[in-house]
Amino acid sequence: MTGFTPAELLATGFAEHCHAVVLERAGASRLGALSAVTVPPDPDALDLARAIARVWYTGVWSAGDEAPFVVSRRAYAEGLVWKTFGGAPPGTVGPGFGSWAAAPRVRAAAA
């Protein structure tokens, strides 16, 4: 569903938390219905699948009429979107907030 392997998803460290949020928000029966493939796709299952992919990629749960919210700091920091282009989420990795105010360090040339 995400394009990442189960090992890569587990390596994010928020798989269990992500599952808990999806289970709480969608319910076990709705989540279980995702395993049944129908043609054409069930619109409710399709919406849920999109919400799950969105939470994996952005760390934000957004489904139906619910107000979107960030699942956790870790979910934001480990969101798959950053891995797709080798980027880092702003404000989560070094050199840190405000680092742009200091002049860059210049290394001495090796003799």
Side-chain angles (χ1 to χ4, degrees):
M1 179 187 294
T2 62
F4 286 82
T5 66
E8 290 170 320
L9 296 177
L10 288 172
T12 64
F14 74 96
E16 289 181 16
H17 187 67
C18 181
H19 181 261
V21 169
V22 171
L23 194 57
E24 175 189 317
R25 298 297 174 159
S29 64
R30 233 179 120 201
L31 187 57
L34 280 181
S35 61
V37 177
T38 61
V39 178
D42 172 43
D44 185 56
L46 194 56
D47 286 345
L48 180 56
R50 287 181 178 140
I52 292 170
R54 200 168 22 251
V55 77
W56 272 111
Y57 272 86
T58 65
V60 174
W61 176 259
S62 172
D65 296 336
E66 238 181 309
F69 66 93
V70 177
V71 169
S72 68
R73 291 180 188 178
R74 184 162 196 154
Y76 167 73
E78 295 294 331
L80 299 178
V81 66
W82 310 114
K83 296 173 183 7
T84 63
F85 64 93
T92 61
V93 294
F97 181 81
S99 62
W100 54 86
R105 286 185 252 162
V106 179
R107 292 184 183 167

